[in-house]
Amino acid sequence: MIIVSACLMGWNCKYSGGSNKNEAVREIAEKGYYASVCPEVAGGLPVPRDPSELQPDGRVLSNRGADVTEAFRKGAEQEWLRVQELAEEFEEPIECAILKAKSPSCGCGRIYDGTFTGTLIDGDGIFAALLKEKGIPVYTEKDLENKEK
C-alpha cells in the first residue's frame, strides 16, 4: 500500500479549493492498494482555507497570522492511524508515501520558509516528518517528475 496526498489524486482539498491532480501519481497509485490522505482536512480545516506555512519555531501559521498548528498535528496523527488500520485490514504493508511537494503538511525535503514570499528551505511538513519518524519512505510528485527527465 502507498500513501498518496489526496490533492494529487484530484480531490479538491487544496487550500484554494482546487486540486493538484497529477496523472503520473494517479497511475502509480491505481496499480495497487493506496490510501488518499489530506491531513489538513482531517485536522478540521475547511476547504477553501487561508494558505499556511510552517514557521522556524515549529508552529504553522496562516497568512493572516492564525495559529493552525494543532489542526495540522491532529490531522497528521489521525491520517497515520487511519492508514495503519487500512494496511492491517487489507493485509498490505505500507511501502511508501507520495506527497505534495512544498506543503506545510506533506512537503518532503523542501518547504516554504514561513514568510509567504515563495522562498524554499530544507525541511519537511508535519505529516511527512511523522511518516519519516515511522520509517516510511516519503517522495513528492516532483521526485517522479525528476525521474522522468
Side-chain angles (χ1 to χ4, degrees):
M1 170 182 289
I2 64 172
I3 302 167
V4 184
S5 290
C7 64
L8 295 174
M9 295 299 290
W11 295 20
N12 292 328
C13 56
K14 183 178 170 178
Y15 76 90
S16 63
S19 79
N20 294 302
K21 188 175 179 180
N22 184 296
E23 286 302 327
V25 172
R26 285 178 60 98
E27 286 177 25
I28 290 170
E30 291 173 350
K31 286 181 181 176
Y33 288 96
Y34 69 92
S36 295
V37 298
C38 183
E40 295 171 29
V41 171
L45 295 173
V47 178
R49 58 189 168 276
D50 292 333
S52 299
E53 292 187 8
L54 192 57
Q55 304 299 303
D57 65 3
R59 294 180 302 143
V60 183
L61 299 180
S62 78
N63 64 341
R64 297 177 192 239
D67 189 332
V68 291
T69 309
E70 196 52 42
F72 274 69
R73 289 193 179 137
K74 176 183 166 190
E77 280 293 331
Q78 286 183 344
E79 290 290 56
W80 170 242
L81 292 173
R82 186 176 67 81
V83 168
Q84 282 184 295
E85 288 175 6
L86 287 171
E88 288 174 18
E89 180 181 336
F90 292 104
E91 298 179 352
E92 286 289 325
I94 301 169
E95 296 174 36
C96 68
I98 304 173
L99 304 178
K100 178 65 189 115
K102 306 175 193 173
S103 159
S105 287
C106 296
C108 174
R110 303 281 286 163
I111 57 171
Y112 292 112
D113 72 348
T115 63
F116 298 93
T117 60
T119 305
L120 294 172
I121 58 170
D122 291 340
D124 295 320
I126 303 278
F127 186 62
L130 174 67
L131 293 179
K132 285 182 171 184
E133 286 173 18
K134 305 293 185 184
I136 306 298
V138 180
Y139 307 98
T140 72
E141 80 282 10
K142 300 294 183 194
D143 295 322
L144 297 180
E145 292 167 10
N146 290 338
K147 282 187 177 184
E148 292 173 0
K149 292 180 183 177

